[in-house]
């Protein structure tokens, strides 16, 4: 990967700002007000006062020192560490997955589709590795950060006993493989040869046909360890790597451009199955692609090194080129692939079988539901001069209020790509203005005063998201100060900070009932990630010209299942729009 997408952008992109301590503490009080009671607000104010006059200034000073000493982002290494210390299974905590809309796909068979996808990924990789890919710009024409792209290719999150490690293979222009999984069996397929040429369509299709026709498949799935809790995964991986052949195999998989899974017709491909599996999934590889027998396509991404914007841009590029006709060179070439053989003793086989069983259990803990609201999209909302995201977030808060009868936080992911090494922040969206409107609307009020309350709620949302987009959000700032505590003696050295960070009030602010992501891309049929909290819901929405696409994920132990919450959201959005349109 050339410096074009990394250090060359230092002079073109601003450095991510560090919010002031005073402003962040003030916003905590303001943003907690709608979701905690009056008595709790007094306790929170006292807790913040103790924190502000004790440990907070020192932690802010340490964080500011880190900000001063780097030309890059103060947040990126902290956020990366935050992901890597997570000990829970990746597929139900941080990974995200999507399926591609069938309308965006050409009429190809499974083998040809998979072969073309591999070619397109190789082309994209070479474009970035050689510096030929163009720089991306935002709506204002200003450049966007592209440093994440180098972590999409040939990378893997390796499990560790205390924290995980990020493995990144040097990005050469020659001798690159892809890993293919079919029926629990691993194959290494040559994708770029010694001269830097991408394998031909004929070469790849013949390799994939031979893979599907192979009857000597593995009785246990070696990759099952990647779905375990991370400390357990590290121990099982270490057990595997005591054997040199196994160690070499795992190294080849780590060095691969990506993992592609061919899926039989008896296993329907959905966003949920792409995310959770449970068979033939290599959960800690950064990019995994699925091609089903009925030619549906899905993607799953490991989140610690990348964010959704770059992952979706890559997805869009490789899918868009599927319709390109094969050239004359593609009719030539011989297949180059190798089945990976494993040397597993009885204890390791038993452990891998148990891992597969646990992965299946995890897959059954989550449910999801998807729907489309027609005749309601950007065209209708912009005609009413309403920000589509503001409308959706108010509708979500209305659905939450009606379902629970109370107030819990809702968060929305905000991109920081217009900063150097910018990743994302999470913005709490339930404001005092939003609460006032929803209480009045929920009580049946429909007069002009309520319409004014709605307009105030929209303005409050726009202002808050604007703060997030300028790097002034509080969630990542709090994470930074918490990390300073960790690096400099921990809770014992900062007892007041520990009391503050462990307080239930702060937990209410940073732990959402609804964690939301807006992805306005036509290629996405469904997008899924696990809820952020043990009783929460993950919500994806996409607002296109004349429709809204919604997906809800929930744990099976939740009070309301995914279908019930999705119905509440759909009803709330529809009712809200009809009322706004009638009272415009």
């Amino acid at each position: 990967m050339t410096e074009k997408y990394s250090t060359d952008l230092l002079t073109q992109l601003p450095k991510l700002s560090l919010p002031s301590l005073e402003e962040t503490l003030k916003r905590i009080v303001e943003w907690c007000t709608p979701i905690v009671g009056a008595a709790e607000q007094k306790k929170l104010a006292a807790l913040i006062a103790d924190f502000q006059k004790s440990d907070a200034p020192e932690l802010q000073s340490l964080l500011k020192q880190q900000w001063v000493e780097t030309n890059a982002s103060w947040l990126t290494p902290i956020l990366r560490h935050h992901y890597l210390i997570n000990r829970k299974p990746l597929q139900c905590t941080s990974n995200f997955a999507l399926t591609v809309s069938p309308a965006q796909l050409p009429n190809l068979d499974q083998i040809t589709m998979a072969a073309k996808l591999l070619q397109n990924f190789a082309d994209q990789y070479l474009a970035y590795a050689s510096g030929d890919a163009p720089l991306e710009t935002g709506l204002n024409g200003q450049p966007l950060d592209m440093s994440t792209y180098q972590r999409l290719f040939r990378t893997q999150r390796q499990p560790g006993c205390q924290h995980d490690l990020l493995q990144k293979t040097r990005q050469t222009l020659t001798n690159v493989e892809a890993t293919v999984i079919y029926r629990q069996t691993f194959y290494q397929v040559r994708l770029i040869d010694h001269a830097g040429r991408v394998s031909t369509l004929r070469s790849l299709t013949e390799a994939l046909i031979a893979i599907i026709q192979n009857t000597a498949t593995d009785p246990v799935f070696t990759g099952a360890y990647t779905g375990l809790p991370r400390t357990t995964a590290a121990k099982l991986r270490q057990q595997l790597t005591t054997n040199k052949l196994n160690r070499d195999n795992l190294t080849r998989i780590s060095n691969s451009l990506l993992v592609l899974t061919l899926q039989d017709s008896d296993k329907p491909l959905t966003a949920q199955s792409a995310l959770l599996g449970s068979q033939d999934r290599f959960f800690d590889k950064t990019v995994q692609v699925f091609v089903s027998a009925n030619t549906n396509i899905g993607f799953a991404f490991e989140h610690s090194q990348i964010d959704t914007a770059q992952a979706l841009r890559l997805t869009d590029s490789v899918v868009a080129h599927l319709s390109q006709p094969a050239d004359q060179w593609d009719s030539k070439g011989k297949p180059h692939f190798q089945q990976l053989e494993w040397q597993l003793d009885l204890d390791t086989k038993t452990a891998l079988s148990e891992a597969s069983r646990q992965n299946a259990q995890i897959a059954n803990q989550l449910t999801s539901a998807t729907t489309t609201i027609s005749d309601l999209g950007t065209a209708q909302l912009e005609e009413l001069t309403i920000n589509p995201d503001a409308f959706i977030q108010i509708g979500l808060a209305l659905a939450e209020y009606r379902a629970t009868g109370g107030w819990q936080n809702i968060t929305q992911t905000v991109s920081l790509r217009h900063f150097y090494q910018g990743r994302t922040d999470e913005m709490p969206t339930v404001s005092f203005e939003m609460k006032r409107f929803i209480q009045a609307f929920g009580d049946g009020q429909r007069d002009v005063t309520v319409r004014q309350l709605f307009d105030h709620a929209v303005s409050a949302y726009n202002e808050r998201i604007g703060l997030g987009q300028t790097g002034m959000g509080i969630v990542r700032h709090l994470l930074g100060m918490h990390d300073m505590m960790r690096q400099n003696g921990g809770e014992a050295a900062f007892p007041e900070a520990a009391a503050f960070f462990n307080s239930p009030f702060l937990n209410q602010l940073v732990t959402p009932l609804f964690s939301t992501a807006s992805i306005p891309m036509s290629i996405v049929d469904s997008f899924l990630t696990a809820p952020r909290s043990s009783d929460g819901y993950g919500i994806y929405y996409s607002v296109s010209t004349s429709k809204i696409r919604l997906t809800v994920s929930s744990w099976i132990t939740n009070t309301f299942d995914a279908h019930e919450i999705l119905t509440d959201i759909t009803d709330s959005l529809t009712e809200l729009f009809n009322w706004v349109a009638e009272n415009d």
Side-chain angles (χ1 to χ4, degrees):
M1 187 73 64
T2 70
E3 295 177 348
K4 173 181 177 180
Y5 311 111
S6 54
T7 53
D8 284 358
L9 289 171
L10 261 172
T11 58
Q12 302 179 55
L13 292 171
K15 182 179 176 180
L16 180 64
S17 303
L18 178 65
S20 73
L21 176 63
E22 293 72 23
E23 285 297 319
T24 289
L25 295 181
K26 177 183 175 182
R27 288 180 187 128
I28 291 173
V29 174
E30 178 186 343
W31 294 1
C32 275
T33 298
I35 58 176
V36 300
E40 286 77 11
Q41 289 175 30
K42 292 181 180 179
K43 294 177 183 178
L44 174 63
L47 194 66
I48 289 176
D50 289 342
F51 179 52
Q52 188 168 11
K53 66 185 180 184
S54 57
D55 293 336
E58 183 176 354
L59 294 177
Q60 176 74 357
S61 177
L62 290 167
L63 191 57
K64 188 171 184 178
Q65 181 180 350
Q66 183 164 310
W67 180 84
V68 169
E69 291 176 351
T70 180
N71 289 326
S73 169
W74 64 268
L75 175 60
T76 296
I78 292 172
L79 191 57
R80 186 184 303 124
H81 176 80
H82 176 67
Y83 281 116
L84 295 179
I85 60 174
N86 169 43
R87 301 290 81 201
K88 296 179 180 179
L90 299 180
Q91 65 271 33
C92 63
T93 50
S94 59
N95 284 11
F96 58 93
L98 62 96
T99 52
V100 176
S101 171
Q104 302 292 321
L105 297 175
N107 184 22
L108 301 173
D109 61 82
Q110 180 187 27
I111 295 299
T112 306
M113 187 86 79
K116 284 200 163 194
L117 278 170
L118 289 174
Q119 282 189 318
N120 293 348
F121 267 104
D123 288 338
Q124 289 294 311
Y125 165 75
L126 289 174
Y128 285 105
S130 62
D132 291 337
L135 292 175
E136 294 178 14
T137 57
L139 295 176
N140 59 1
Q142 295 299 308
L144 297 173
D145 182 75
M146 297 184 68
S147 58
T148 297
Y149 281 103
Q150 63 185 315
R151 304 184 189 99
L152 278 163
F153 306 104
R154 309 188 76 181
T155 53
Q156 183 180 349
R157 174 173 170 171
Q158 302 285 10
C161 289
Q162 300 297 325
H163 61 82
D164 291 357
L165 300 173
L166 298 179
Q167 175 274 329
K168 180 176 178 295
T169 302
R170 187 171 64 90
Q171 295 185 336
T172 61
L173 301 179
T174 59
N175 299 319
V176 178
E177 295 179 319
T179 299
V180 174
I181 303 175
Y182 181 63
R183 293 185 177 177
Q184 303 190 136
T185 307
F186 287 87
Y187 304 85
Q188 292 299 113
V189 178
R190 191 175 76 183
L191 204 49
I192 301 172
D193 68 12
H194 67 282
R197 296 171 299 199
V198 176
S199 294
T200 64
L201 189 63
R202 178 178 177 179
S203 169
L204 291 172
T205 53
E206 288 192 2
L208 295 174
I209 289 171
I211 286 170
I212 282 185
Q213 292 176 345
N214 178 34
T215 58
T217 55
D218 291 342
V220 295
F221 181 51
T222 311
Y225 79 90
T226 63
L228 294 172
R230 299 307 287 169
T231 300
T232 308
K235 293 176 180 177
L236 185 46
R237 188 180 190 279
Q238 187 175 27
Q239 184 176 334
L240 281 165
T241 56
T242 56
N243 178 280
K244 184 179 184 304
L245 178 63
N246 297 341
R247 184 167 63 251
D248 290 345
N249 287 345
L250 290 173
T251 298
R252 289 181 72 179
I253 295 171
S254 292
N255 293 342
S256 291
L257 191 68
L258 75 160
V259 171
L260 182 142
T261 292
L262 296 170
Q263 198 158 293
D264 284 329
S265 57
D266 61 337
K267 299 175 181 177
L269 180 58
T270 63
Q272 184 168 338
S273 68
L275 178 67
L276 300 172
S278 58
Q279 280 295 342
D280 291 355
R281 302 298 189 265
F282 209 78
F283 294 110
D284 55 18
K285 188 71 174 172
T286 305
V287 179
Q288 185 166 7
V289 188
F290 312 95
V291 183
S292 68
N294 59 355
T295 65
N296 287 328
I297 296 177
F299 295 82
F301 298 92
E302 196 283 306
H303 198 6
S304 61
Q305 308 189 68
I306 61 158
D307 294 310
T308 55
Q310 296 88 333
L312 288 168
R313 181 65 179 261
L314 176 64
T315 300
D316 190 46
S317 296
V318 297
V319 170
H321 287 83
L322 286 172
S323 299
Q324 284 189 341
D327 58 28
Q328 185 177 4
W329 173 254
D330 268 325
S331 64
K332 304 175 182 179
K334 297 180 179 180
H336 294 274
F337 73 99
Q338 178 187 4
Q339 179 178 346
L340 297 184
E341 304 288 344
W342 305 90
Q343 293 179 349
L344 308 175
D345 58 29
L346 180 59
D347 287 345
T348 304
K349 288 180 181 178
T350 302
L352 289 170
S353 296
E354 173 61 19
S356 292
R357 188 191 67 80
Q358 291 185 36
N359 292 343
Q361 281 187 330
I362 292 171
N364 291 329
Q365 291 175 3
L366 197 73
T367 64
S368 64
T370 298
T371 194
T372 299
I373 304 176
S374 301
D375 301 319
L376 173 52
T378 55
Q380 292 81 7
L381 292 170
E382 289 173 359
E383 186 176 338
L384 299 171
T385 64
I386 298 173
N387 177 348
D389 283 309
F391 173 80
I392 295 288
Q393 292 294 326
I394 294 171
L396 291 174
L398 177 61
E400 176 197 78
Y401 179 66
R402 286 175 166 172
T404 67
W407 299 96
Q408 291 178 253
N409 204 21
I410 299 172
T411 59
Q412 179 180 351
T413 301
V414 175
S415 174
L416 298 173
R417 286 191 66 200
H418 46 286
F419 293 102
Y420 183 70
Q421 288 187 349
R423 294 199 59 179
T424 62
D425 202 348
E426 292 180 1
M427 298 300 293
T429 61
V430 178
S431 64
F432 176 72
E433 293 83 357
M434 191 181 290
K435 181 177 180 179
R436 286 188 64 194
F437 163 72
I438 289 170
Q439 285 176 324
F441 191 83
D443 289 341
Q445 299 179 39
R446 297 292 186 272
D447 56 21
V448 65
T449 303
V450 179
R451 177 55 202 260
Q452 291 173 346
L453 291 177
F454 174 80
D455 292 339
H456 293 328
V458 171
S459 297
Y461 167 85
N462 292 337
E463 181 181 349
R464 188 172 294 189
I465 293 301
L467 282 173
Q469 291 170 339
T470 58
M472 293 293 110
I474 66 174
V475 175
R476 299 305 192 215
H477 188 195
L478 291 173
L479 178 64
M481 287 196 288
H482 188 277
D483 198 64
M484 293 302 100
M485 179 179 73
R486 176 192 64 83
Q487 292 184 38
N488 294 277
E491 294 188 357
F494 298 93
E496 286 81 6
F500 172 73
F501 288 125
N502 294 327
S503 70
F505 315 114
L506 190 62
N507 187 59
Q508 280 185 269
L509 183 64
V510 300
T511 306
L513 181 69
F514 292 171
S515 50
T516 72
S518 170
I519 303 173
M521 296 189 73
S522 60
I523 68 161
V524 178
D525 182 59
S526 184
F527 177 95
L528 198 69
T529 186
R532 289 286 311 280
S533 59
S534 59
D535 60 350
Y537 301 85
I539 298 174
Y540 146 77
Y541 65 91
S542 173
V543 187
S544 58
T545 304
S546 58
K547 65 181 180 181
I548 298 173
R549 184 76 169 163
L550 291 158
T551 299
V552 175
S553 65
S554 72
W555 306 111
I556 59 173
T557 53
N558 283 13
T559 304
F560 306 100
D561 66 27
H563 290 87
E564 290 174 312
I565 290 295
L566 185 62
T567 299
D568 288 338
I569 293 171
T570 302
D571 291 346
S572 295
L573 290 172
T574 303
E575 181 183 354
L576 186 61
F577 173 74
N578 290 337
W579 172 75
V580 172
E582 291 170 1
N583 292 272
D584 182 51

